[in-house]
Amino acid sequence: PENVSSLRLEDLCAEPIGAQFITGKDEAYVLPGDCLRRLGIPAYQTRAYATGEDVRNWATSADQFILFPYDTKLAPLSEPLPAPLARHFTPFRETLENCVISGSTKKKETRLKWFEFRRLARAKFEVPLNIINPHIATHCHFLVCGHEVAFKEKALAIALRSEFGEEHLHLLVAWLNSSLMLDRLKRECFNKGAGEDEHRDRFEFAGEKLRALAIPSWLDAALRGKPDELADKLKALSRACWERGRALPALALRKLFE
């Protein structure tokens, strides 16, 4: 059996593993690019928007956008809202104000502004990179991703504490994407598509299962800076896969015009 430390994955995190945000009303926030152009909404008030299904093979394919009504410090925008945002959000105001935040509590009964998301996990956005994995998938697809893309709650986000840098994230991703971890997670996570075709089975990689993963002793030592040949090889492999994944969309577009 693998030697494990006393650490669990949750001990490395800035906040619990889970969604980056929950809008509470996607149709008010999620738009295709052509709508943004017609509305005149500037790019800095939006982010590319992806779901768990958009994360595959070391890459993200986002074809929609989400309105992001927060400033660079993650505080809600001041009112009055910029004119393009106001024109878009105003027809949704009553619906957004009555969005249920928790239990029977509506947004208008809280301190949230009427146009804010139902929930924003600020600690995930305060670190430059998250590790993303689809909530439901046939296999693990852990991916290091910046905040140029915002992910729906069906893609779980792992935000490590601020002392961990990009190299640590790539090392952790290499371990999480290993066949060893896939076998363990498939045994522990709920199979939503059990049937005769095993390769079609879809597993629910729930946050509580990920939080409880025991960190191997060698990984704990490597994350604390101890030289380790295996860790160096895994980091290099993870980064190489990540770089190739980032190149895939451009390569696919180029193929269209050959």
Side-chain angles (χ1 to χ4, degrees), residues 22-258:
I22 300 174
T23 66
K25 196 69 175 176
D26 283 359
E27 51 264 49
Y29 299 93
V30 180
L31 298 168
D34 59 310
C35 284
L36 296 181
R37 289 191 293 272
R38 288 197 298 272
L39 291 167
I41 296 174
Y44 67 86
Q45 291 171 349
T46 72
R47 306 213 179 181
Y49 174 79
T51 71
E53 293 181 353
D54 297 322
V55 182
R56 292 292 186 275
N57 303 321
W58 302 92
T60 302
S61 57
D63 59 3
Q64 290 187 298
F65 294 85
I66 187 166
L67 302 179
F68 198 78
Y70 298 90
D71 63 21
T72 56
K73 295 182 179 180
L74 301 174
L77 296 176
S78 300
E79 296 187 84
L81 289 172
L85 283 181
R87 284 196 298 270
H88 172 75
F89 277 135
T90 297
F92 294 100
R93 179 161 187 158
E94 183 177 356
T95 300
L96 294 176
E97 286 179 332
N98 287 290
C99 174
V100 175
I101 302 301
S102 178
S104 60
T105 303
K106 298 178 180 180
K107 188 188 293 184
K108 63 184 179 182
E109 297 168 344
T110 72
R111 294 183 178 182
L112 292 174
K113 294 186 177 182
W114 64 272
F115 55 83
E116 285 191 69
F117 295 163
R118 174 183 166 189
R119 177 176 180 267
L120 178 68
R122 285 177 169 81
K124 290 185 172 68
F125 287 94
E126 288 170 350
V127 293
L129 297 169
N130 285 180
I131 296 173
I132 303 295
N133 189 59
H135 188 196
I136 300 171
T138 57
H139 294 77
C140 296
H141 295 279
F142 291 95
L143 173 70
V144 177
C145 194
H147 296 302
E148 64 276 5
V149 180
F151 291 91
K152 184 179 172 65
E153 63 268 20
K154 292 302 181 182
L156 299 183
I158 302 173
L160 298 190
R161 299 196 310 267
S162 58
E163 63 262 34
F164 295 110
E166 185 175 325
E167 293 302 308
H168 298 114
L169 271 74
H170 283 296
L171 175 57
L172 195 61
V173 160
W175 172 65
L176 289 168
N177 279 328
S178 68
S179 57
L180 176 66
M181 295 309 302
L182 176 62
D183 178 69
R184 175 176 172 180
L185 287 169
K186 280 189 172 184
R187 283 188 279 109
E188 295 185 4
C189 295
F190 178 65
N191 186 347
K192 295 178 69 69
E196 295 181 0
D197 298 326
E198 185 177 348
H199 66 283
R200 296 181 184 274
D201 291 356
R202 295 174 296 114
F203 295 86
E204 185 175 348
F205 298 114
E208 60 267 22
K209 298 295 185 182
L210 299 178
R211 288 196 289 270
L213 291 175
I215 302 297
S217 297
W218 66 266
L219 180 55
D220 177 28
L223 290 172
R224 288 187 284 106
K226 182 179 179 180
D228 184 280
E229 184 178 355
L230 173 61
D232 290 342
K233 289 181 178 179
L234 287 173
K235 277 190 292 188
L237 177 61
S238 178
R239 176 173 282 280
C241 292
W242 178 72
E243 290 174 347
R244 284 162 175 76
R246 289 170 66 88
L248 281 176
L251 293 174
L253 184 63
R254 186 192 309 171
K255 189 69 176 178
L256 286 175
F257 295 97
E258 287 184 353

